[in-house]
Amino acid sequence: MTPAASRPASTGTAATATASSSATAAVPGRASWWPAILCWVVVMLEGFELVVLGAVIPTLLSTGHLGFTAEAATAVATLSLVGVGLGAAGVGFLADHVGRRAAILACVVVFSIFTVLVPFAPSVLWFAVFRLIAGMGLGAVLPTALTYVGEYSGAGSTARATTLTMTGYHTGAVLAALLAVLAGADWQLLFLGGGIAGFLLLPVLWLRLPESPAFLAARRARAAGHGAGAPGHGAGGSAAGPSAGTAAAAAAGGPASASAGDPVSASAGDPADPASATGRGGLFSGGFARVTIGVWVASFMGLLLVYGLNTWLPSIMEEAGYRLSASLVMLLVLNLGAVVGLVVAGRTADRYGTRPMVLLWFGAAAVLLALLSVRMENPVVLHLAVFATGAFVFSAQVLVYAYVSSVYPAAVRGTALGLAAGVGRLGAIVGPFLTGALVAAGIAYPWGFHLFAVVAVLGVIAMALVPRTVRG
């Protein structure tokens, strides 16, 4: 992706970026790739530290550490996801008011401290508390990092930047599973290693992660609006043509640089326009109400699928009559498909528009999930179907995030993505719960896949109701 700071910008935007961020943002070339690399590493840590609990639960249960039972492990896992949802929903205000850089640093500090504390928990209760607070930092860092890379990526590459960054999550998840096998009974090393890695990353983030140019442009425009007013803007922005704020926003990777086919209107809210509504109210101002409701529903459905499949796919396949070892291999194939799907989805969305690709990806996921309800005797066909399912299911959810990053004004972008992720995390809790109930009832196969297919169809409907054009 092409860093936004390396593209021509208006004088005001360039001056602000020079004065308010590190020199890295202003220098094109190799140094400009630091933000993309660092955000990928941050998301990889999130994937590692979210998945590591599930990887060590069997050891906690077999050793009876702190008196862990299956019920206690379920409660800890649920509280961890609750923390993730709370963090995602609450970080938007921080990211939109103090900056993406400060929010990312704060999140890494929080989840690193409380991840290191987990092995020293004196009881199951404190174990759960530490995971709850660590979960808040983990949940908050993902939407903030995705907002950042979406703004920093430049015109026409928001979807690709978002999906490539999300490959870090699956890399971290695979790493957690592999290291859990190597660690064996020494599960404490996984939490210590994850937390220490976060601490080691902090000084690099401090030195090499500049502030988002789009945030700087929006902050400068708001300051001008509180003073003498922003030139070229009336009370609701200029409808006659691009204003200085719009030009600055386009240079900073705002909605003016959204992918083809995505709804954009300068009158609906300018990324750097001080007249644009800010905070949660900005998500429902102008024509954004239907957009907000649509992406919330789609995000909920997307994460219901992601967490439902990642948690229960081996159990469902075992119930279908496949060997347990084969079922575990299918989980690995599912996530390998996710990585490939993310790369392909980002490129196609930047070329043809994010919204059309979200519709296509959810639709394809629905068809593939329905097909998995039919037992396949040929292992090659079965694994290809699981691989394709992972490619479309996981990418559909991430494309929703990319869509949010490309459509909302910079003044509310962090809040928009944070709340979309927060609502989605509710789906992450509901998905494993519903699927687990089907497993307990002995009807997860084929009804689990029927449920997932219906959920994917609901994702299609939610995004289909999002208007093609957003008007103020």
Side-chain angles (χ1 to χ4, degrees), residues 87-107 139-149 151 210-219 222 278-280 409-419:
V91 74
F93 180 86
L94 178 66
D96 284 337
H97 287 77
V98 304
R100 318 324 189 195
R101 179 178 184 272
I104 291 173
L105 286 167
C107 292
V141 80
L142 177 63
T144 309
L146 293 182
T147 299
Y148 184 100
V149 296
E151 292 175 341
E211 185 52 88
S212 159
F215 171 79
L216 294 172
R219 184 172 64 180
R222 284 198 301 267
T278 58
R280 290 177 175 83
V412 297
R413 194 173 297 139
T415 299
L417 193 50
L419 285 175

Side-chain angles (χ1 to χ4, degrees), residues 4-27 101 148 152 209-221 248 251-252:
S6 65
R7 295 182 283 109
S10 64
T11 304
T13 306
T16 305
T18 302
S20 304
S21 64
S22 70
T24 305
V27 179
R101 179 178 184 272
Y148 184 100
Y152 199 83
L209 189 71
E211 185 52 88
S212 159
F215 171 79
L216 294 172
R219 184 172 64 180
R220 182 173 180 271

Side-chain angles (χ1 to χ4, degrees), residues 380-392:
V380 175
V381 174
L382 173 62
H383 285 89
L384 285 175
V386 172
F387 182 90
T389 301
F392 283 101

Side-chain angles (χ1 to χ4, degrees), residues 135-465:
M136 293 174 68
L138 293 168
V141 80
L142 177 63
T144 309
L146 293 182
T147 299
Y148 184 100
V149 296
E151 292 175 341
Y152 199 83
S153 61
S157 7
T158 299
R160 182 173 57 182
T162 302
T163 54
L164 286 178
T165 303
M166 278 301 295
T167 62
Y169 177 93
H170 295 284
T171 302
V174 171
L175 188 61
L178 292 175
L179 290 179
V181 173
L182 296 176
D186 297 321
W187 58 268
Q188 296 93 336
L189 296 176
L190 299 175
F191 289 97
L192 291 173
I196 292 172
F199 287 130
L200 293 176
L201 182 62
L202 279 171
V204 186
L205 289 170
W206 181 268
L207 293 173
R208 293 291 187 177
L209 189 71
E211 185 52 88
S212 159
F215 171 79
L216 294 172
R219 184 172 64 180
R220 182 173 180 271
R222 284 198 301 267
H226 287 309
H233 286 278
S238 173
S243 65
T246 306
S257 64
S259 303
D262 291 331
V264 176
S265 172
S267 62
D270 201 340
D273 186 355
S276 297
T278 58
R280 290 177 175 83
L283 304 185
F284 295 93
S285 64
F288 282 103
R290 283 175 58 191
V291 176
T292 297
I293 294 172
V295 298
W296 282 6
V297 174
S299 183
F300 179 93
M301 299 303 168
L303 280 181
L304 190 157
L305 291 174
V306 168
Y307 281 82
L309 282 169
N310 257 342
T311 304
W312 291 110
L313 181 66
S315 298
I316 295 175
M317 289 308 201
E318 189 178 14
E319 186 177 312
Y322 300 104
R323 291 178 293 107
L324 177 59
S325 57
S327 299
L328 291 173
V329 170
M330 289 180 214
L331 184 61
L332 176 61
V333 171
L334 184 78
N335 281 278
L336 289 175
V339 174
V340 175
L342 286 168
V343 175
V344 175
R347 291 183 177 275
T348 55
D350 281 333
R351 182 172 181 178
Y352 299 107
T354 309
R355 179 179 174 274
M357 291 304 101
V358 174
L359 294 172
L360 176 61
W361 252 246
F362 266 120
V367 173
L368 289 164
L369 288 165
L371 285 176
L372 286 179
S373 67
V374 179
R375 182 174 170 80
M376 303 176 190
E377 300 298 338
N378 188 314
V380 175
V381 174
L382 173 62
H383 285 89
L384 285 175
V386 172
F387 182 90
T389 301
F392 283 101
V393 168
F394 289 92
S395 302
Q397 164 62 26
V398 178
L399 285 175
V400 173
Y401 291 156
Y403 177 81
V404 172
S405 294
S406 68
V407 169
Y408 284 89
V412 297
R413 194 173 297 139
T415 299
L417 193 50
L419 285 175
V423 172
R425 296 297 182 177
L426 296 177
I429 297 172
V430 172
F433 176 81
L434 288 179
T435 315
L438 294 177
V439 171
I443 57 173
Y445 184 86
W447 289 101
F449 290 120
H450 293 164
L451 169 66
F452 291 146
V454 170
V455 168
V457 170
L458 293 176
V460 173
I461 295 173
M463 288 303 296
L465 294 177

